[in-house]
Amino acid sequence: MLYLLSYEFVGDYLERRTALRPAHLELCRQAVARGEMLAGGAVGNPPSSGLLLFQGAAGHAETFAAADPYVTQGLVTRWQVQPWTVVVGIPELVPNPL
């Protein structure tokens, strides 16, 4: 099962993320190494939100968000985990393509 973790950022996200970015990216690298996170990134220019793609259990995304310095230090105003059903795309992610 796939899950999208969505973040909504504070207005001054770019200015405030510099000090927290190394710890955030390390948390991402660890989640990727465990096979939990597939991809992640910011949305918009300048970024107003973020999307991170997880596989396995919803708990992987929830645990990540609870530990993420972007969340714990207030750069994220709201986060949400939702199941994502891929309909078309990368064959490894699509169990029953159209």
Side-chain angles (χ1 to χ4, degrees):
M1 188 94 188
L2 297 173
Y3 295 90
L4 281 175
L5 170 59
S6 59
Y7 282 170
E8 292 179 18
F9 297 139
V10 294
D12 60 348
Y13 162 77
L14 283 179
E15 293 80 18
R16 294 177 52 195
R17 78 172 182 178
T18 303
L20 303 172
R21 191 170 169 88
H24 167 76
L25 292 176
E26 180 57 28
L27 193 65
C28 291
R29 288 184 193 98
Q30 291 171 7
V32 169
R34 289 191 303 272
E36 297 169 0
M37 182 189 291
L38 299 174
V43 179
N45 187 18
S48 60
S49 60
L51 291 172
L52 300 98
L53 178 60
F54 287 81
Q55 67 179 349
H60 296 317
E62 293 163 356
T63 300
F64 179 92
D68 189 352
Y70 285 4
V71 172
T72 63
Q73 298 301 307
L75 272 66
V76 173
T77 60
R78 181 176 180 272
W79 62 270
Q80 179 178 2
V81 176
Q82 293 182 298
W84 186 40
T85 303
V86 178
V87 178
V88 296
I90 302 169
E92 294 80 19
L93 298 179
V94 184
N96 300 307
L98 296 175

